[in-house]
Amino acid sequence: MSQSAPALAPPAAPAALRFDGLWLFSPRVDVSLLLMPALLTLFSAWLADVTGEGVDGYSQALGRWASQYVLFNGTHVILSFLLVGVRRELLHTTPTQARLLVGGSAGVFAVCFALLWYANQYAPRLDLMVAAGVHVLAAHHTLSQVKGLWALHGLKARGAGVASVSEAERRLQRVFVPLALVLMMVRTLAVPMTGKAGDFPLVNVGQTESGALPYGTTWVLLAVWGVFVGLLVAALRGEAGPSGPRRLYVLGHAAVVAVYLVWPAWGVILSAGIHGLEYFFLTGRMLEPTEREKEARLRGGAVWVAMVGVMLPLIVVGVAQSPFVLLVDGSTGGSATKFLLRQEPLWTMGVTVTNAIVLAHYFADAFLYRFRIQKVREVTLGRLGLA
């Protein structure tokens, strides 16, 4: 007598999204990190459309300046050194950490300052190439931070009892930085910003129209990214994806890369603004004293005051680069520009120092957040409350 086949068990329903207790900072902060730069970008794009000036006008300059100096992308770079200066345990996570962070960063600063100064003063062509190289490093640094906070969201979820990140999501996490970097840099350095004849890429180092890739390459880049995002959505729908804040964060940044690929002039404002705000709040959390530092004076509101205070010199440099200088000129017969021209040596020095600090900050962060090293991971995650 034949037996009937056993009934197949119905597939498990996807776990419901959970938000409570899973925000990296707080609901208001986590959402604002994406929302505020998005609003700035939308306003800049809207203003450019209303005025008809396009991507090369005042509106785009205003948006980029605001992302640098209002949303901290251009000023947060000094915070790496405030952090290791105040929380000295970060200098001693490995036997060589102090030498790498202090000596290595100082060496990078000195070499980059000399190179930037020479290129600016004597080699305009080299200056363009340096600018392109810095843009690549900045993009890698920004994407690496996204990957790092993505990992922190996973740790936050695991600590709250939510399923760990799936293997499929881990694989995509490892691919995220190199794939996004290649696509974004092709768009930045080799594809014209628009389809207009004679247009140039976002970072122009002397490319001609015949030397750049066709504008239609944009849609190929976007299609490749779309395949990645589709796989990412599928991975986040699995049993390991019920963390609402992590899903919001990861898909939000996937959308940022897509915006960059289609509209790089606006995408650079969006990604820069998010990066600056994320770093500011992440450093604030790291600077807060742990339970073992009950006597630490730097706590609460003093942390935020200290961060703004150490950024003030860079903010002053930013004021001199402000697009508002043009508005002042319009009503005062060019007095603002004339004043800045009289301060040209000091002004040039300030810009060069700022850019050298930026590059030294990239170097410092590469060693400050080496989570693959157990001691670094223990100390850093302990400061973040995720040990």
Side-chain angles (χ1 to χ4, degrees):
M1 184 175 178
S2 62
Q3 295 181 342
S4 59
L8 295 176
L17 282 181
R18 175 181 157 189
F19 289 85
D20 185 45
L22 295 177
W23 298 99
L24 199 56
F25 299 104
S26 71
R28 180 180 298 177
V29 172
D30 283 31
V31 172
S32 296
L33 292 178
L34 295 171
L35 184 60
M36 290 180 63
L39 291 176
L40 171 64
T41 305
L42 287 172
F43 172 77
S44 301
W46 169 82
L47 187 61
D49 183 64
V50 169
T51 59
E53 62 192 13
V55 297
D56 294 321
Y58 183 83
S59 301
Q60 203 265 350
L62 178 62
R64 292 192 71 164
W65 180 86
S67 71
Q68 296 295 316
Y69 296 101
V70 178
L71 302 184
F72 307 122
N73 185 61
T75 56
H76 77 270
V77 295
I78 197 68
L79 297 181
S80 299
F81 307 106
L82 171 68
L83 180 60
V84 296
V86 173
R87 304 306 180 203
R88 304 301 293 275
E89 63 177 326
L90 294 168
L91 282 175
H92 304 290
T93 50
T94 70
T96 60
Q97 185 81 322
R99 290 196 298 273
L100 284 169
L101 286 177
V102 179
S105 296
V108 169
F109 174 85
V111 171
C112 291
F113 178 86
L115 177 63
L116 292 167
W117 182 268
Y118 176 81
N120 179 263
Q121 296 293 317
Y122 306 108
R125 180 71 177 182
L126 176 61
D127 196 31
L128 291 174
M129 299 304 296
V130 169
V134 170
H135 204 90
V136 174
L137 291 173
H140 181 271
H141 174 74
T142 299
L143 293 168
S144 297
Q145 178 172 290
V146 173
K147 180 184 175 183
L149 292 185
W150 183 351
L152 294 183
H153 271 285
L155 290 173
K156 184 79 171 184
R158 188 172 66 182
V162 174
S164 299
V165 175
S166 67
E167 184 56 35
E169 186 178 342
R170 289 186 193 281
R171 287 196 299 268
L172 294 169
Q173 199 176 62
R174 290 192 290 268
V175 171
F176 173 79
V177 173
L179 177 62
L181 181 64
V182 169
L183 296 177
M184 291 169 66
M185 291 305 97
V186 170
R187 185 69 176 95
T188 299
L189 299 171
V191 180
M193 280 198 290
T194 71
K196 296 178 182 178
D199 201 4
F200 292 99
L202 177 65
V203 176
N204 180 15
V205 292
Q207 304 99 316
T208 63
E209 184 181 3
S210 60
L213 294 173
Y215 177 72
T217 306
T218 297
W219 311 117
V220 177
L221 301 175
L222 189 63
V224 173
W225 186 246
V227 171
F228 176 84
V229 174
L231 295 172
L232 185 57
V233 169
L236 291 171
R237 285 174 59 86
E239 293 182 0
S243 168
R246 184 167 91 244
R247 190 175 294 187
L248 172 67
Y249 182 83
V250 174
L251 295 181
H253 276 282
V256 169
V257 174
V259 170
Y260 192 106
L261 293 176
V262 180
W263 302 288
W266 308 119
V268 72
I269 295 173
L270 178 60
S271 61
I274 294 174
H275 176 72
L277 285 176
E278 283 180 349
Y279 201 96
F280 184 79
F281 280 95
L282 183 67
T283 304
R285 177 67 59 85
M286 293 274 286
L287 281 170
E288 283 288 351
T290 63
E291 292 183 358
R292 300 192 308 272
E293 299 168 332
K294 298 184 184 299
E295 304 301 320
R297 295 182 179 180
L298 190 64
R299 62 176 64 246
V303 167
W304 310 103
V305 171
M307 289 197 295
V308 173
V310 79
M311 291 191 299
L312 273 179
L314 302 184
I315 293 173
V316 170
V317 174
V319 170
Q321 299 181 72
S322 166
F324 299 115
V325 169
L326 297 177
L327 297 182
V328 175
D329 277 348
S331 58
T332 61
S335 62
T337 298
K338 291 175 184 176
F339 173 79
L340 291 174
L341 288 175
R342 289 197 298 270
Q343 319 303 320
E344 186 172 2
L346 183 61
W347 150 252
T348 303
M349 176 70 73
V351 172
T352 307
V353 167
T354 299
N355 290 333
I357 291 174
V358 169
L359 293 165
H361 151 78
Y362 294 161
F363 178 89
D365 272 15
F367 293 96
L368 186 59
Y369 296 103
R370 292 180 293 171
F371 285 168
R372 67 183 181 276
I373 298 176
Q374 182 178 353
K375 183 62 175 178
V376 173
R377 188 167 61 247
E378 289 175 357
V379 172
T380 304
L381 295 182
R383 299 214 66 88
L384 292 170
L386 295 172

